[in-house]
């Protein structure tokens, strides 16, 4: 070896493979304002569409008069449900098996529902046009309280379902009922409660909120009448699914539909489903023969597309006096708004809520969920969450704290006592899941030691005593949260969307000079896939990550994939990438053996190429193998070096984490201060620690927002009262606490590289940590459970209700 020969460490470092804090390659364009978003798409002759929306939450639409609008200069057309009926598109199917009005058909069912679509030469003319469309409404009583939805005299919302006693998920019990979903052993669970030494029961609500990505939902549709082809640029988290949905409902052959998701400015579940704007822009383009752009504004985004949560969870835990849990019983009232448009895999009407037994070894559990209609916007999307796992984690983590309080036990101690033990994995939960791997005790103890949990509890005890003596008006809360996530939808045995199994895919093509391109079925919205996918390939085939280009989001070039949401990209597509790379490597080995004139079995892999076992100087780098693949492959072998993998995972992955929030609350003002927030995450093998940290920071910030104020709230008449960023809490750097992050590594045994997802984890674990901190702070004053969100005013009110102010 001469001085110029790189060392093994240098060769390894040059790859920037898995485990490397590689800088995000996409940031080169993003930080210079050179991203290419949907609104950057400007086509010759492009028209603009905008919606007339309903001011009422529930009303009959008596007439729509477009006459004056059509006189506005630049306005070309006003599309209504009657127009759409001529092409059979007045209603569209939802991902949850329901149907949804594209434009108001006889009735409106929520405020800001789409009533008519005005098409004009520019956005301003379209906006002027919508103000001139005259709509005559006859207001009807709105149904806003989910607990009154199934009252006998509750107003009938969905007249289209009149007389239908069965829906997509079985029998309906009432005209506003969507489905009932039950899981678990009812008799065994009821018996556990009959025999329980101790039990708790609490109605725990997870309020309605919204993913509110920086970039709203938008699209440009361009129909080529000559070729009969439709091209759609859109903010789609799952572009292939959109292509299939368009083919099915618009009856355009799928190969004549081109869906392109360019750069996306955040998704968080908001951009999974299909919205009326997409249908209207496509129809408008087909009718006018010109490209049509539709861009939601912020108020439209917050009020009409895809709410999240709105689960009301009656939670019961049975336990022994010593604190061993013996049963869990949960009933959920799920408010789905006007249409059931939840973005869940087909068989799961309440998503993966049956992960609600959490990290604990419950011998038995029973869950029932009633989905109901109200006069609110549809959606039910997984806002930085894997299909309702966030609601489930909040439910069980509040429940465990309430049980600890009743038992007079420390919440951390109660959790340690009930955790699934390392030797129980793979663990079969009482509600039907098989957890792949975990070491909960180690993670929890690491968290407790890192923050000096014992010391914090002592400090809290002293502060409580001082409060009782009247020496301070500040109360201190410790919010412990331990979550188990379920990500990686999913195995085809239990997950599909519209009948398409939820696999994912990767195609790698290596070029002669040793650089290559990988196309993947996922679509990054900020998660950094262009950086991390190349790192997986670099480690697998020994080509530097910088020499691999990653492409996603174009249905003409990427292999069919189910997209990015619910932290499924790493568990599913990440596996497909590793498997495609291994196919490349297997062919490369054959080529190297031929070139080195040895048997394949005589070769061993060495960082960036193959070498002959026992003769390390006889070797061939992957770069040289790429060249050979194009000029001297073994006789009978096809030239070229490319591979594709469609990966159907055998199971989900189950990341987990231990979080703690230390909070002080001033009872006189309700003002809180997050003194410390520590988050330990275990996502198995870590591809890029820096990106993981970024994901955790972002997810914690969203968790902070949701727990401490972010809410979509309605008044009794059905008006959205939090429909702009003036009212909807969107934390900036000023409000956001400092985050401390940590990790353990428990690889997934079934994933090719042992990786689990991470993107959703901080939201799943963060919300209960904040809420438990607030509740823990108030608990010594006699409070059991205070509903989220915990904004200043509600904290002040909680203090008032607990009688802390002198009369
Ligand atoms: O599906 P989504 O991309 O939202 O979530 P994810 O699979 O959790 O990945 C989010 C980002 O974190 C991606 O860039 C992943 O490659 C990265 N990640 C990682 O570096 N190591 C892991 N074990 C999991 C995710």
């Amino acid at each position: 070896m001469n001085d110029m020969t790189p060392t093994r460490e240098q060769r390894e470092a040059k790859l920037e493979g898995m485990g490397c804090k590689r800088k995000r390659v996409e940031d080169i364009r993003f930080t210079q304002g050179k991203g290419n978003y949907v609104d950057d798409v400007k086509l010759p002759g492009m028209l603009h569409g905008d919606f007339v929306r309903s001011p009422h939450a529930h009303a009959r639409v008596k007439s729509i008069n477009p006459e004056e609008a059509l006189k506005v200069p630049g306005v070309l057309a006003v599309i209504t449900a009657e127009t759409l009926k001529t092409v059979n598109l007045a209603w569209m199917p939802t991902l949850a098996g329901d149907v949804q009005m594209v434009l108001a058909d006889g009735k409106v069912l929520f405020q800001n529902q789409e009533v008519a679509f005005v098409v004009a030469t520019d956005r301003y003319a379209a906006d002027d046009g919508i103000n001139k469309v005259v709509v005559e409404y006859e207001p009807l009583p709105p149904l806003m309280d989910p607990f009154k939805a199934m009252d006998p005299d509750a107003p009938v919302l969905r007249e289209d379902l009149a007389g239908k006693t069965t829906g997509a998920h079985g029998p309906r019990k009432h005209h506003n009922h969507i489905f009932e979903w039950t899981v678990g052993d009812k008799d065994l669970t009821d018996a556990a409660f009959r025999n329980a030494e101790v039990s708790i029961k609490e109605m725990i609500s997870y309020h309605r909120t919204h993913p509110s990505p920086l970039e709203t939902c938008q699209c440009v549709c361009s129909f080529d009448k000559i070729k009969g082809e439709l091209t759609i640029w859109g903010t789609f988290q799952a572009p292939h699914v959109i292509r299939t949905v368009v083919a099915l409902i618009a009856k355009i052959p799928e190969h004549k539909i081109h869906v392109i998701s360019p750069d996306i400015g955040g998704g968080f579940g908001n951009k999974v489903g299909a919205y009326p704007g997409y249908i209207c822009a496509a129809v408008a383009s087909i009718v006018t023969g010109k490209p049509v752009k539709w861009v939601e504004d912020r108020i439209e985004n917050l009020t009409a597309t895809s709410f999240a949560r709105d689960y009301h969870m009656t939670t019961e835990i049975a336990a022994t006096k010593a604190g061993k849990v013996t049963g869990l019983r949960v009933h959920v009232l799920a408010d789905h708004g006007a249409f059931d448009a939840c973005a869940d895999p087909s068989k799961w009407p309440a998503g993966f809520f049956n992960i609600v037994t959490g990290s604990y070894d419950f011998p038995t559990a029973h869950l029932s969920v009633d989905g109901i209609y109200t006069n609110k916007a549809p959606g039910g999307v997984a806002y930085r969450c894997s299909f309702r796992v966030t609601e489930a984690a909040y439910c069980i983590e509040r429940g465990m704290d309430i049980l600890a309080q009743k038992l007079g036990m420390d919440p951390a101690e109660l959790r340690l006592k009930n955790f699934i033990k390392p030797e129980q994995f793979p663990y079969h939960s009482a509600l039907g899941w098989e957890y792949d791997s975990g070491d909960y005790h180690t993670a929890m103890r690491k968290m407790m030691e890192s923050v000096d949990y014992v010391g914090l509890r002592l400090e809290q005890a002293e502060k409580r005593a001082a409060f009782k003596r009247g020496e301070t008006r500040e109360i201190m809360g410790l919010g412990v949260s331990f979550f188990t996530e379920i990500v990686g939808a999913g195995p085809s045995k239990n997950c599909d969307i519209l009948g398409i199994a939820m696999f994912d895919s990767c195609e790698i093509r290596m070029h002669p000079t040793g650089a290559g391109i990988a196309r993947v079925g996922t679509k990054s919205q900020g998660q950094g896939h262009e950086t991390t996918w190349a790192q997986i390939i670099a480690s697998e085939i020994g080509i530097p990550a910088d020499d691999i280009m990653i492409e996603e989001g174009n249905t003409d070039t990427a292999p069919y994939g189910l997209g990015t949401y619910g932290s499924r990209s790493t568990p599913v597509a990440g596996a497909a990438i590793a498997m495609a790379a291994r196919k490349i490597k297997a062919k490369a080995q054959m080529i190297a053996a031929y070139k080195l004139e040895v048997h394949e079995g005589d070769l061993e892999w060495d960082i960036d190429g193959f070498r002959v076992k026992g003769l390390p100087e006889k070797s061939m780098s992957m770069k040289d193998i790429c060249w050979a693949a194009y000029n001297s492959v073994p006789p009978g072998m096809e030239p070229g070096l490319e591979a594709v993998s469609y990966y159907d995972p055998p199971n989900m992955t189950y990341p987990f984490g231990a979080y703690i929030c230390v909070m002080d609350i001033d009872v006189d003002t309700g003002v809180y201060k997050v003194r410390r927030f520590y988050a330990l995450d275990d996502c198995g093998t870590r591809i890029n620690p820096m990106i993981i940290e970024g994901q955790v920071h972002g997810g914690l910030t969203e968790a902070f927002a949701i727990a401490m104020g972010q809410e979509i709230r309605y008044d009794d008449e059905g008006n959205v009262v939090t429909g702009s960023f003036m009212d909807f809490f969107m934390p900036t750097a000023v409000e956001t606490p400092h985050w401390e992050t940590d990790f353990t590594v428990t690889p997934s045994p079934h994933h090719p590289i042992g990786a689990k997802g991470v993107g959703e984890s901080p939201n799943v674990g963060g919300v209960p940590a904040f809420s438990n901190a607030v509740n823990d702070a108030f608990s010594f004053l006699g409070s059991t459970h205070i509903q989220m969100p915990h904004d200043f005013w509600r904290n002040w009110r909680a203090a008032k209700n607990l009688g802390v102010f002198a009369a």
Side-chain angles (χ1 to χ4, degrees), residues 126-303:
D127 200 46
D128 289 345
I130 61 175
N131 292 320
K132 296 280 180 193
V133 176
V134 179
V135 186
E136 200 189 339
Y137 298 97
E138 177 193 321
L140 297 167
L143 172 60
M144 305 314 296
D145 182 351
F147 293 95
K148 293 185 178 153
M150 289 201 282
D151 284 356
D153 57 350
V156 178
L157 305 194
R158 293 287 300 274
E159 287 168 4
D160 59 302
L161 300 179
K164 284 203 178 153
T165 52
T166 308
H169 304 288
R172 299 172 65 221
K173 321 187 249 212
H174 181 276
H175 52 256
N176 294 326
H177 188 234
I178 309 172
F179 63 83
E180 181 181 17
W181 186 55
T182 56
V183 198
D185 190 325
K186 186 171 184 323
D187 293 343
L188 208 60
T189 307
D190 289 348
F193 278 89
R194 275 197 303 277
N195 301 326
E197 291 172 1
V198 183
S199 66
I200 61 117
K201 181 172 185 177
E202 191 65 49
M203 217 294 291
I204 299 169
S205 276
Y206 199 140
H207 55 288
R208 181 173 271 243
T209 181
H210 194 283
S212 49
L214 198 59
E215 177 202 34
T216 59
C217 296
Q218 36 202 280
C219 69
V220 176
C221 296
S222 180
F223 186 68
D224 183 328
K225 279 192 173 173
I226 309 295
K227 293 185 186 160
E229 293 181 15
L230 178 65
T231 306
I232 309 174
W233 291 261
T235 45
F236 307 130
Q237 293 181 231
H240 281 100
V241 178
I242 293 286
R243 187 184 69 186
T244 303
V245 170
V246 173
L248 291 173
I249 64 177
K251 305 274 183 284
I252 299 172
E254 200 165 353
H255 66 293
K256 295 202 168 190
I257 304 167
H258 316 283
V259 177
I260 301 161
S261 293
D263 288 327
I264 298 183
F268 315 114
N270 187 202
K271 296 168 181 170
V272 174
Y275 298 120
Y278 306 156
I279 308 274
C280 290
V283 170
S285 179
I286 291 168
V287 170
T288 61
K290 294 196 170 163
V292 177
K293 181 182 271 188
W294 168 69
V295 176
E296 243 182 358
D297 68 21
R298 180 59 58 194
I299 292 175
E300 293 176 302
N301 180 257
L302 281 172
T303 58

Side-chain angles (χ1 to χ4, degrees), residues 731-755:
T732 65
V734 176
E735 297 91 1
T736 303
H738 173 73
W739 311 119
E740 296 168 57
T741 59
D742 206 345
F743 65 97
T744 53
V745 177
T746 312
S748 167
H750 64 78
H751 189 283
I753 58 169

Side-chain angles (χ1 to χ4, degrees), residues 44 74 89 126 203 213 215 262 338 380 404 420 449 455 480 522 559 599 634 733 748 760 799:
L89 285 175
M203 217 294 291
E215 177 202 34
I420 301 160
E449 277 161 29
V480 176
T522 45
H599 189 270
S748 167
E760 326 291 341

Side-chain angles (χ1 to χ4, degrees), residues 525 527-529 532-533 564-571 683-689 691-692 695 755-760:
Q525 310 117 44
Q527 294 92 331
H529 293 174
T532 49
W533 294 165
T564 291
Y565 37 87
S567 294
R568 67 182 297 280
S569 301
T570 302
C683 58
T685 306
R686 291 151 56 87
I687 302 164
N688 184 327
I691 286 197
I692 292 174
Q695 292 286 303
K756 304 178 178 187
V758 76
E760 326 291 341

Side-chain angles (χ1 to χ4, degrees), residues 575-655:
I577 293 162
M579 298 309 269
R582 286 174 194 183
K583 289 184 189 176
I584 296 270
K585 196 169 169 182
K587 184 170 178 183
Q589 187 165 358
M590 288 192 257
I591 297 170
Y594 173 68
K595 294 291 286 180
L596 294 167
E597 298 178 335
V598 294
H599 189 270
E600 269 173 60
D602 294 332
L603 292 178
E604 62 187 4
W605 180 250
D606 181 33
I607 300 175
D608 52 11
F610 287 99
R611 67 180 179 196
V612 179
K613 286 180 193 161
L615 286 174
E617 67 284 358
K618 225 180 156 192
S619 64
M620 195 168 180
S621 71
M622 194 68 184
K623 189 172 159 74
D624 291 340
I625 298 171
C626 288
W627 185 259
Y630 287 87
N631 61 35
S632 49
V633 293
M637 180 187 273
E638 289 178 7
L641 195 53
E642 61 181 77
V644 59
S645 168
Y646 286 81
Y647 189 81
D648 181 8
N651 192 2
M652 310 274 181
T653 66
Y654 295 76

Side-chain angles (χ1 to χ4, degrees), residues 315-389:
T315 311
E316 295 172 85
I317 301 178
T320 65
K321 277 187 199 145
K324 194 90 189 83
V325 295
T326 54
L328 174 71
R329 193 159 55 194
V330 180
H331 174 263
V332 181
L333 188 67
D335 186 343
H336 286 221
F339 307 98
D340 185 9
C342 288
D344 292 319
S346 306
K347 286 181 210 134
W348 305 95
F352 300 157
F353 189 84
N354 54 328
I355 191 79
V356 68
T357 49
S359 314
Y360 313 105
D361 188 13
F362 276 96
T364 182
H366 185 255
L367 161 70
S368 56
V369 184
D370 277 305
I372 48 109
Y373 293 119
T374 57
N375 287 117
K376 301 176 191 167
V381 301
Y383 169 10
R384 207 167 187 144
C385 151
S386 186
F387 311 119
R388 305 287 188 180
V389 62

Side-chain angles (χ1 to χ4, degrees), residues 104 109 129 289 441 474 556 640 696:
L109 290 165
H441 293 84
E474 207 171 68
D556 282 347
V696 174

